[in-house]
Every structure is written in structure tokens, then in C-alpha cells.
Amino acid sequence: RQRYVEKDGKCNVQHGNVRETYRYLTDIFTTLVDLKWRFSLLVFILAYAVTWLFFGLIWWFIAYCRGDLDHLEDHAWTPCVNNLNGFVSAFLFSIETETTIGYGHRVITDKCPEGIVLLLLQAILGSMVNAFMVGCMFVKISQPNKRAETLVFSSHAVVSLRDDRLCLMFRVGDLRDSHIVEASIRAKLIKSKQTQEGEFIPLDQTDLSVGFETGDDRLFLVSPLIISHEIDERSPFWDVARHQLEKDDFEIVVILEGMVEAT
């Protein structure tokens, strides 16, 4: 049976017929964070490589236009960048400038105003690229996907009497010592529905009360807890018989939210 939400929390939904793809580029930061790791690393490498090559080409072009490459052996000539003798050395100088390495062999002189302006531009743009790409990597590394692996749900949900009330129950626990702060839980019933007007809703979502009215949905998740949904007149399972429950096609999605204490 095909699931709406997989056991690892991934939604089994594929978007099709998306025409306004430019909307992904308007929020480029979130788009890069949502990319798979191999594409994120490719973008990370290209962002630096392209800027290094771009500014390296400009440094070489300035040296070429000023005639520095024609006066390599002329010690009386003051070049824009000392010891820049070709595109490779210009590329290396671009890397040293943007990464603030500064080996000391190649250095800009004060007789080149266009080089000073380019140096300022590369320093500013390099800082922006660093902030953007490092921010993307940090957000991607700190995503809660791996943390969710240590949040364990019971393999089965049961319908049983509890305090003389029929309840749907399951268990949830945290394996780590670091606690989940402000943890809250909610449940959704995913089931096809047909309205009184004849409209067919294939994936209708209905709330299953797990203690919102009493505050029991806010968890102190130190030890494993039993989450209970009382089957009363407000429950979507009120009119469902046991034999019908075994044959019916539906899915219950449980969502646990909270903040990790350590981060």
C-alpha cells in the first residue's frame, strides 16, 4: 500500500506541471538548502571557482592593458601587481586576495588605481560569497533529519480501553540525553472523502485530538510517553466498526515538533 508520508518522515509527493519555476530562484537561499548534498557541494565549489576565475581574468586583463606582461624583466617598471607574469599567476593572486591568504610573493602596488578598486570589489564580493555559502552549509548540516532518527515511535498503534474510555494509543520516546524543548505533538487523519454536495476530496486531512484542549499535546519528553486519542462523538472513528477499521483505506500522520536543547 502506497503511503502518503514515509516512515522516515519524507512526504511521498511529487510536484508536477510547475510552470512558474522562477519562483524558486527568488528564494535562492532556501532552494540551495533544499538541494541534495551532491548538488549543494557542486554549487559550493562552483561559487568559489567561478569568482576566482572571474577576478583572475580581470587581474590578468589589467596587467595586459597596462603592459606589465611586456616589462617582466624591466626592474625600472612598476607593475600593477608584482610578480604577476601570466594568467596562472593572476589566478593564484585572485585566490590569495579573496581568501586573505597573502603569501607575500605577489602584492599590489600603489601605482595602480584600477587595481585598488578591483581589490576592494573582490574583498567585498568575496565576503558576501563566504557568508552566503557558509550560511547554506551550516543550515543544511543543522537540519533535524538525523536528530529525528533518535525519536522512536511504537511499531503499532492500539485501540483499547483506558479509564473506561475507548482510545487510540501509541508510544513515543527520545533516545538522546539532550531534551526536546517545547515539544508538542499532533495527529492528522489522511483519508478520501466525499462531501454532501458530491465533491470528492482524495486526501482530506482531519485533526485527531491528542490533548489540545487539556494541554496534554505539550510533552515533557524525558521518558517514553503514551499518546492517547479518545474516540468520542468528535472523533472521526466514532462511527467506524472494528471490521470496517481493518478494511478501510486511511493513514494517520503523527507530527512531533520541538527545539533541540543543545542547539
Side-chain angles (χ1 to χ4, degrees):
R1 181 179 297 180
Q2 192 174 19
R3 298 179 60 89
Y4 183 64
V5 178
E6 300 292 346
K7 284 287 188 179
D8 57 359
K10 295 181 180 178
C11 294
N12 193 17
V13 176
Q14 294 182 352
H15 296 283
N17 196 22
V18 179
R19 299 178 182 178
E20 299 178 350
T21 54
Y22 67 89
R23 295 182 181 271
Y24 292 105
L25 298 179
T26 57
D27 187 12
I28 186 65
F29 185 83
T30 307
T31 302
L32 291 177
V33 171
D34 289 341
L35 288 176
K36 295 182 179 179
W37 265 108
R38 55 179 177 269
F39 296 116
S40 296
L41 292 176
L42 178 62
V43 173
F44 186 86
I45 295 172
L46 288 178
Y48 286 103
V50 169
T51 54
W52 292 340
L53 286 170
F54 175 73
F55 283 102
L57 182 63
I58 298 179
W59 285 115
W60 173 84
F61 183 73
I62 291 177
Y64 176 80
C65 293
R66 294 182 79 254
D68 295 343
L69 301 179
D70 298 329
H71 299 80
L72 296 178
E73 303 298 333
D74 189 358
H75 298 286
W77 179 267
T78 303
C80 183
V81 180
N82 289 330
N83 300 306
L84 195 152
N85 52 19
F87 176 74
V88 176
S89 59
F91 175 67
L92 293 176
F93 179 72
S94 174
I95 296 176
E96 295 169 17
T97 301
E98 191 166 328
T99 57
T100 65
I101 294 176
Y103 290 116
H105 184 64
R106 300 179 187 87
V107 60
I108 190 171
T109 62
D110 56 357
K111 304 297 183 182
C112 182
E114 60 271 26
I116 296 175
V117 173
L118 181 61
L119 180 67
L120 295 175
L121 290 176
Q122 186 171 6
I124 295 173
L125 184 62
S127 299
M128 295 173 62
V129 171
N130 287 333
F132 188 82
M133 298 311 302
V134 172
C136 286
M137 290 295 106
F138 175 77
V139 173
K140 195 168 184 63
I141 291 173
S142 60
Q143 284 183 324
N145 298 335
K146 299 302 180 182
R147 180 63 176 89
E149 296 292 334
T150 53
L151 292 172
V152 182
F153 289 84
S154 54
S155 301
H156 300 88
V158 297
V159 177
S160 178
L161 286 175
R162 195 181 202 194
D163 293 332
D164 204 26
R165 297 176 181 177
L166 200 62
C167 298
L168 169 68
M169 294 176 289
F170 57 91
R171 206 177 192 195
V172 60
D174 189 5
L175 300 181
R176 289 192 179 274
D177 294 332
S178 58
H179 303 316
I180 302 294
V181 182
E182 296 184 6
S184 62
I185 196 166
R186 52 196 175 100
K188 292 280 187 179
L189 175 66
I190 311 296
K191 184 180 179 181
S192 301
K193 174 185 176 181
Q194 188 168 3
T195 64
Q196 297 179 1
E197 294 78 15
E199 178 187 3
F200 179 73
I201 304 176
L203 294 172
D204 182 62
Q205 300 184 11
T206 305
D207 276 322
L208 295 179
S209 177
V210 288
F212 177 77
E213 298 84 358
T214 59
D216 291 337
D217 61 326
R218 295 187 292 272
L219 308 179
F220 182 48
L221 198 58
V222 177
S223 60
L225 299 176
I226 296 177
I227 311 301
S228 176
H229 164 69
E230 183 179 345
I231 303 178
D232 54 11
E233 294 84 354
R234 298 173 296 175
S235 173
F237 296 118
W238 178 251
D239 297 327
V240 181
R242 177 177 178 178
H243 66 276
Q244 183 182 356
L245 192 66
E246 296 173 350
K247 298 185 298 181
D248 211 347
D249 187 14
F250 65 91
E251 185 172 340
I252 298 176
V253 179
V254 179
I255 303 167
L256 176 64
E257 297 175 312
M259 294 181 293
V260 180
E261 182 185 37
T263 58

